[in-house]
Amino acid sequence: MRAEPPLVSIIVPAYGLAHLVGEAIESILAQTYAHWEAIVVDDGAPDDVEGAVAPYLADGRIRLLKTDNDGLPTARNRAIAVARGNFIALLDGDDLYERRYLELMIRAIGADPGLGFVTCDATYFGASRVGERFSAHVSQIDPISLERVLRRDFNVFITSVIRRDALTEVGGFDARLTSAEDFDLWIRIIERGWRAAYVNAPLSRYRRRAGSMSSDTTRLLAAVTEIYARAAERLGDRPEAAVAREMQAKVARELAVAEGEAMVLAASTKTKRWTMETSQITEHARPMKS
């Protein structure tokens, strides 16, 4: 008799996270809900992700997917393509689930077939904001609507659970994006008529790391500007198209400021380097005392 497929597949991208992914897996193993599989993605990582995951592979629910490196959206899409669950749960390799995460999230999405995804709040830990809530820093005004997501009145936390049918309908993550691919996904799912729900509890832990992808402000703003432009085009005559255009202009202004600040910083750094090099040359050129 064939084994029953897992109800939820957890996708764990782990590029460069060999030193942390074990903690993420331990948080999955600690779940009060046990009907899951986890797929950890090693997409050409520079560190030993395979070695870090190896001790956990004795549990048949955990798999390692090794691929070449083609960006985070592609890594997630490749894992989703081989996943067997009716629902797809996301967990970055440096973040953690609280013990009841799957139990409460699966209960929420399973109660309504019209839900494309469910999301939740989170608690920060790591380099900064330790113990503070995600919702204390970015708005999560319920109920979720397309306009609220576009205006960032509701910010969807990445550690969400998505109905596979909704994910398939929109074609998964957009592999052209180098940042904010999750924001783009939530917009496209709701655009297609799927609804979203919010479990108002900190069910996951969001690690803040110095130098992480989300800290690259200019790249993030450039991606978000493009996402708004595409959304406005897709929405056509719908009222939300005006919101997308308004937000595109707003973020474009923020991007211009960020790029200007980056140029000033780069110029300042170059000037300091030139001054130091000139000083060293001058010092070496001084005549020796007789």
Side-chain angles (χ1 to χ4, degrees):
M1 185 175 65
R2 295 178 61 185
E4 182 183 359
L7 183 60
V8 57
S9 298
I10 306 164
I11 308 302
V12 188
Y15 184 89
L17 297 174
H19 61 303
L20 298 173
V21 70
E23 295 179 44
I25 295 172
E26 291 288 351
S27 78
I28 296 171
L29 291 169
Q31 292 299 294
T32 56
Y33 180 93
H35 193 33
W36 53 262
E37 70 170 356
I39 303 172
V40 182
V41 189
D42 175 359
D43 57 329
D47 51 355
D48 189 14
V49 170
E50 182 175 12
V53 176
Y56 299 99
L57 297 180
D59 187 320
R61 296 172 298 176
I62 299 172
R63 291 188 278 158
L64 176 67
L65 175 64
K66 298 191 67 175
T67 76
D68 62 308
N69 184 263
D70 196 23
L72 180 56
T74 297
R76 288 196 180 112
N77 286 339
R78 287 171 174 169
I80 291 165
V82 300
R84 298 176 291 165
N86 299 322
F87 300 104
I88 302 297
L90 303 177
L91 177 64
D92 286 350
D94 55 346
D95 293 338
L96 308 173
Y97 284 157
E98 300 291 2
R99 291 188 70 249
R100 298 189 68 197
Y101 173 85
L102 288 178
E103 175 191 344
L104 297 178
M105 296 287 275
I106 294 299
R107 179 187 301 171
I109 198 168
D112 185 344
L115 290 175
F117 66 89
V118 294
T119 191
C120 63
D121 203 350
T123 305
Y124 290 111
F125 75 113
S128 60
R129 300 181 183 173
V130 177
E132 298 178 34
R133 296 263 293 254
F134 178 77
S135 59
H137 291 271
V138 291
S139 178
Q140 288 189 317
I141 301 174
D142 207 18
I144 302 171
S145 67
L146 179 56
E147 180 173 352
R148 281 183 172 169
V149 172
L150 288 169
R151 288 194 183 281
R152 308 310 291 264
D153 289 334
F154 193 99
N155 290 267
V156 181
F157 186 60
I158 181 60
T159 306
S160 298
V161 175
I162 312 166
R163 189 177 300 275
R164 190 182 193 103
D165 289 347
L167 196 54
T168 300
E169 184 175 329
V170 300
F173 289 93
D174 188 337
R176 297 171 296 177
L177 295 170
T178 59
S179 189
E181 69 284 342
D182 54 323
F183 177 53
D184 172 73
L185 181 68
W186 315 133
I187 292 171
R188 289 187 289 116
I189 288 175
I190 301 174
E191 274 180 22
R192 298 298 292 264
W194 293 94
R195 288 178 288 103
Y198 177 50
V199 179
N200 189 3
L203 297 181
S204 57
R205 299 182 66 199
Y206 181 28
R207 189 190 304 265
R208 288 178 60 84
R209 295 184 293 125
S212 66
M213 181 178 293
S214 59
S215 67
D216 189 339
T217 303
T218 55
R219 179 171 61 175
L220 176 62
L221 292 174
V224 172
T225 302
E226 180 63 24
I227 288 166
Y228 278 127
R230 293 177 187 172
E233 183 176 356
R234 289 192 308 268
L235 287 165
D237 295 332
R238 290 174 58 173
E240 295 92 345
V243 177
R245 287 191 292 270
E246 174 191 335
M247 294 301 295
Q248 178 190 357
K250 178 177 182 293
V251 177
R253 290 192 295 271
E254 294 174 2
L255 174 60
V257 171
E259 288 176 334
E261 291 175 346
M263 289 177 63
V264 170
L265 179 61
S268 176
T269 301
K270 185 177 180 180
T271 300
K272 287 179 181 178
R273 187 183 302 117
W274 180 85
T275 302
M276 289 177 63
E277 291 173 352
T278 302
S279 176
Q280 291 170 355
I281 292 170
T282 303
E283 181 68 28
H284 292 154
R286 287 177 181 170
M288 295 179 63
K289 291 183 179 179
S290 58

